[in-house]
Amino acid sequence: MHNVKIGYIRVSTEDQREDRQVDLLAPVCDELHVEKRSAVGPSRPVFEAVLAKLKSGDTLVVWSLDRAFRSARDALNVEAQLKERGVALRIVSLGVDTSTADGKLAFTMVAAVAEHERARLSERTKQGLAIARKNGKRLGQKPKMTPAQAQVAVQRLQNGERVKDVAWSYRVHPQTLRR
């Protein structure tokens, strides 16, 4: 029987740091695998490789549910597949280990609560954005050019200047002017 504790760490973007998860999982894992990619993306190659590597008696270790799973359904499906293969799942932040009956119950309940909280967060975010729009707030990235600069840039382009030269003078990408 194997008995390796394999840690999976995920951050959503290349800019985010995985240090906190590494520090928290290193003491309880035999090996760690880091992925820098959104959980909702079309594929997670590191996660898929870790799942394929796990053998009977091993434990998949994650810091929290949202670091490994897209939804409660995803978490429950993966956990069921792992269980069929004799692999346990441990969520360190919650003290949950699915190799026990109590751990399995706690995992199922926590997965449902996590999905509910994710849905509520999405609702609150959408409500907040709608209120901000209603109150005349401009959302999104700040414009690179003022309306006056844009108007002058259009005149310069109509006078035959190259897009590249006009863009350079305003320190913007040519695509900004085309928009």
Side-chain angles (χ1 to χ4, degrees):
M1 188 178 236
H2 234 230
N3 196 8
V4 180
K5 292 175 179 66
I6 300 178
Y8 173 73
I9 294 168
R10 186 188 61 76
V11 291
S12 298
T13 67
E14 286 291 331
D15 296 336
Q16 290 180 333
R17 307 272 313 190
E18 67 275 6
D19 300 353
R20 180 180 67 89
Q21 290 180 71
V22 169
D23 288 349
L24 295 165
L25 292 187
V28 296
C29 294
D30 299 309
E31 55 186 82
L32 297 174
H33 298 268
V34 177
E35 185 149 56
K36 293 189 175 199
R37 163 173 291 211
S38 171
V40 295
S43 69
R44 295 176 292 163
V46 173
F47 184 66
E48 292 157 14
V50 166
L51 292 181
K53 179 179 186 160
L54 292 161
K55 305 214 178 334
S56 181
D58 289 349
T59 302
L60 172 62
V61 182
V62 297
W63 174 249
S64 63
L65 277 175
D66 66 321
R67 297 295 85 204
F69 306 107
R70 296 177 166 132
S71 64
R73 180 181 303 249
D74 182 42
L76 293 168
N77 287 341
V78 170
E79 191 278 333
Q81 293 166 4
L82 292 174
K83 184 178 179 182
E84 285 177 17
R85 294 170 44 203
V87 175
L89 172 64
R90 181 173 173 201
I91 300 124
V92 177
S93 66
L94 302 173
V96 170
D97 182 344
T98 64
S99 65
T100 69
D102 289 343
K104 172 69 175 165
L105 173 63
F107 170 73
T108 302
M109 293 170 50
V110 166
V113 170
E115 182 159 320
H116 176 262
E117 179 53 29
R118 217 174 350 265
R120 293 288 298 140
L121 176 62
S122 177
E123 286 175 7
R124 290 189 304 267
T125 300
K126 288 175 184 172
Q127 289 169 348
L129 291 171
I131 290 168
R133 279 188 206 98
K134 180 180 155 196
N135 292 332
K137 300 274 190 218
R138 187 187 186 305
L139 303 175
Q141 192 175 33
K142 184 179 176 231
K144 302 284 185 193
M145 299 173 69
T146 66
Q149 288 173 323
Q151 188 175 11
V152 172
V154 167
Q155 290 171 349
R156 289 174 63 184
L157 292 170
Q158 289 172 344
N159 290 336
E161 284 191 60
R162 294 185 324 172
V163 172
K164 179 171 94 174
D165 296 332
V166 175
W168 185 85
S169 70
Y170 288 103
R171 293 190 170 106
V172 297
H173 193 278
Q175 188 61 37
T176 300
L177 292 180
R178 291 186 185 100
R179 272 189 245 122

